[in-house]
Amino acid sequence: MAEAHTAFFIGDVALDDYFTAERWPAIADKAYVREVKSYVGGMIANAASVHAGLGGRTEFISLLNDSALSARLCTAMNDLGVSTRHMLHDPSLADSRNLIFLTGGEHVVLIIEMASLPMHLTGEALASLRTPGHLYMSLGRTKRLRAEGLQGRELLADFRRHGRRLILDLDVDGFAEGDLDYLHGAEVLIMNQIGFGHAFGDTDLAGINAWMRQNEVGTVIRTLAAAGAEAFDGERRIEVRGYRVPVVDVTGAGDTFGGALTYALGENLGLPEALELAIAAASRAVTIEGPQGGVASLETIEKFRAEFAGQRS
């Protein structure tokens, strides 16, 4: 078997401070909250940790300040098998923190705003990215990357020429017309139902075929929360059901899906098999509190699939 390639994850990492609330207050209202615990999280960091937990070779890059908290975040990821050797630093940035409130079976996330500064990759990081493998990012981070005078579509095209395949997690925002340069040539676009609606309106998944050809996008995936996920690769529509499980915390479920999908595709699994693994990993993740509840070995995921095989949505 060929040696596994290293997957790069470029994006956010933060300390997630958890609270619970009986209800979410309206404007000019008040409510009591209970502080629970703090976890290392962040959308792309969670996905990277899941990828590493499954056995993938994982590199993570973000832009942080030089504080003790930033060191703690990096150490926590290293402990999970994620390399942070290409991390970028700017002492002018605020600490990276999120406030997460669990209420009514859902979650509300408040993100401490940080400056959206350009991310200038080091020469060593650029050389590593110019090798075959996957690159998992959010749309916002693609707009901030810089290297050797390249940015945006040109930089991403440079990566693709060297065999680096782009997976973009578009989450709830989807994309707008002005974002197309950053999506061009992506292997996979992932978005949830809200993000898909923002991007394509009421268009059926199979109805975006012409758009995919025009923008050279390989696969579009729409996650469907507890119902599972569906994908379209330009020829076929694939639907994978979720699992009926007791929900403890949905934070990080989408990140778990993305990290597991990236691992599966890196192992050269077919799209249906990759979706099955990603759905199982995400379904298990919501049964555990914390943004990195989805971090698990492949053996653990397989045990979950066997245990809940008769409990599909």
Side-chain angles (χ1 to χ4, degrees):
M1 181 181 294
E3 182 181 6
H5 295 136
T6 298
F8 271 78
F9 292 75
I10 302 180
D12 56 313
V13 61
L15 188 70
D16 288 350
D17 294 321
Y18 268 66
F19 302 83
T20 58
E22 292 298 322
R23 63 182 181 86
W24 188 247
I27 298 297
D29 194 3
K30 65 174 65 174
Y32 288 99
V33 300
R34 180 172 62 88
E35 188 171 4
V36 180
K37 193 175 180 180
S38 294
Y39 300 90
V40 174
M43 190 172 87
I44 306 301
N46 293 338
S49 299
V50 169
H51 183 269
L54 289 168
R57 294 171 54 181
T58 316
E59 294 279 354
F60 176 76
I61 303 175
S62 190
L63 178 61
L64 299 173
N65 62 22
D66 294 318
S67 70
L69 175 58
S70 295
R72 174 185 171 186
L73 296 175
C74 291
T75 298
M77 297 199 69
N78 298 158
D79 290 344
L80 292 171
V82 178
S83 169
T84 56
R85 64 194 177 105
H86 298 301
M87 188 65 69
L88 304 174
H89 293 278
D90 185 322
S92 69
L93 292 173
D95 278 340
S96 186
R97 309 179 76 100
N98 298 321
L99 306 179
I100 299 179
F101 299 85
L102 304 181
T103 180
E106 257 297 345
H107 69 318
V108 176
V109 181
L110 303 181
I111 301 170
I112 306 299
E113 188 171 357
M114 299 173 66
S116 297
L117 301 176
M119 296 177 63
H120 294 276
L121 297 171
T122 66
E124 183 181 1
L126 180 61
S128 295
L129 280 160
R130 283 173 168 167
T131 60
H134 282 101
L135 169 58
Y136 186 100
M137 301 180 67
S138 65
L139 180 59
R141 293 288 174 156
T142 66
K143 300 176 181 181
R144 295 170 58 186
L145 282 189
R146 308 284 189 275
E148 291 189 350
L150 298 174
Q151 64 185 72
R153 178 171 177 167
E154 291 76 20
L155 181 57
L156 297 176
D158 179 276
F159 293 155
R160 290 199 306 276
R161 284 193 295 271
H162 290 88
R164 188 61 58 178
R165 295 175 289 169
L166 182 63
I167 298 177
L168 281 178
D169 186 346
L170 305 180
D171 198 34
V172 300
D173 295 323
F175 63 87
E177 189 70 23
D179 298 325
L180 293 182
D181 272 356
Y182 302 95
L183 310 182
H184 187 89
E187 179 181 11
V188 179
L189 302 181
I190 305 171
M191 59 196 92
N192 64 18
Q193 297 174 82
I194 297 173
F196 188 90
H198 288 161
F200 296 112
D202 296 329
T203 304
D204 181 76
L205 195 64
I208 63 175
N209 190 28
W211 180 91
M212 291 172 65
R213 289 199 306 271
Q214 180 181 355
N215 292 281
E216 299 181 21
V217 171
T219 299
V220 173
I221 296 175
R222 174 166 55 183
T223 59
L224 304 170
E230 57 183 355
F232 186 67
D233 65 1
E235 296 181 356
R236 54 185 175 161
R237 178 179 176 272
I238 303 165
E239 185 173 1
V240 177
R241 292 178 297 153
Y243 294 78
R244 294 190 301 275
V245 296
V247 176
V248 174
D249 180 10
V250 300
T251 310
D255 312 331
T256 300
F257 178 94
L261 182 84
T262 303
Y263 170 80
L265 294 177
E267 293 295 307
N268 296 314
L269 295 184
L271 183 58
E273 294 77 17
L275 286 171
E276 285 284 359
L277 177 63
I279 285 296
S283 297
R284 176 189 169 276
V286 303
T287 68
I288 301 169
E289 184 180 280
Q292 294 187 336
V295 178
S297 67
L298 189 59
E299 179 183 11
T300 298
I301 302 300
E302 292 304 326
K303 287 181 178 178
F304 171 87
R305 294 175 71 175
E307 180 180 354
F308 287 88
Q311 301 182 49
R312 304 300 292 266
S313 298

